Amino acid sequence: MSGGPVWGGGARWSRLFLPIGVFLALFGVLNAAELPLGWKDRQQQFGRYLDATLGLGADWVLPLIWLVKLVELALGLVAVAAVLRRSTRWLAAAVIGWLGVFTAFTAMDVWAADRVELQEHTVYFVMFAVLLGLLFVVSAVEQVLASRT
């Protein structure tokens, strides 16, 4: 997609991207910060997932929870950088990162036969896909409007 509006380098920052970037930044940072608050719940849930999917024992629960939370924090920080740099590429990268996270969670939900979590993660995936589509549409509209002036 080297010639596309977002990845091609010619994408202009739109004022509509600011709330998207702020949301992504808060979503990532607050998801990481919730770890101490929901520690016990996350341990049990992750333990069930790891047992049902990969057959990993309790020794793997905490390291993998920390890994997921660090990924979420990193995605939040990418969004912060996108807003500060006014970079549509970085903003799209943050959204694509979240799509990857929720794809992994959804796959584990299917594998572990957890329908409630599957519904939740599928809704998140769809909403982040909508955000990615919005980035491309707004970027394309901005380019068309800029070329008309």
Side-chain angles (χ1 to χ4, degrees):
M1 273 207 132
S2 62
V6 171
W7 296 113
R12 297 171 188 236
W13 182 265
S14 170
R15 68 177 189 268
L16 297 174
F17 294 161
L18 182 62
I20 295 171
V22 169
F23 165 74
L24 291 172
L26 286 173
F27 191 75
V29 171
L30 292 177
N31 265 329
E34 66 132 5
L35 181 59
L37 302 175
W39 191 266
K40 295 282 185 197
D41 294 338
R42 293 291 181 216
Q43 278 185 306
Q44 293 171 358
Q45 180 185 13
F46 245 67
R48 283 193 319 267
Y49 268 37
L50 293 177
D51 187 44
T53 58
L54 302 174
L56 295 176
D59 294 341
W60 286 91
V61 171
L62 289 179
L64 289 177
I65 288 175
W66 277 103
L67 177 65
V68 168
K69 293 302 174 183
L70 288 174
V71 168
E72 292 173 349
L73 179 61
L75 291 172
L77 294 176
V78 168
V80 168
V83 169
L84 293 176
R85 296 178 60 156
R86 299 189 181 278
S87 171
T88 55
R89 285 183 182 197
W90 286 52
L91 195 59
V95 175
I96 290 169
W98 280 110
L99 285 171
V101 166
F102 287 114
T103 298
F105 282 150
T106 301
M108 289 190 74
D109 295 333
V110 169
W111 198 355
D114 189 342
R115 291 182 183 163
V116 173
E117 291 293 322
L118 175 62
Q119 290 172 353
E120 178 185 346
H121 292 140
T122 300
V123 168
Y124 276 117
F125 180 88
V126 168
M127 295 315 297
F128 279 97
V130 167
L131 279 179
L132 184 62
L134 185 63
L135 290 177
F136 277 100
V137 168
V138 169
S139 182
V141 168
E142 291 281 332
Q143 281 189 335
V144 168
L145 292 176
S147 70
R148 296 184 83 194
T149 58

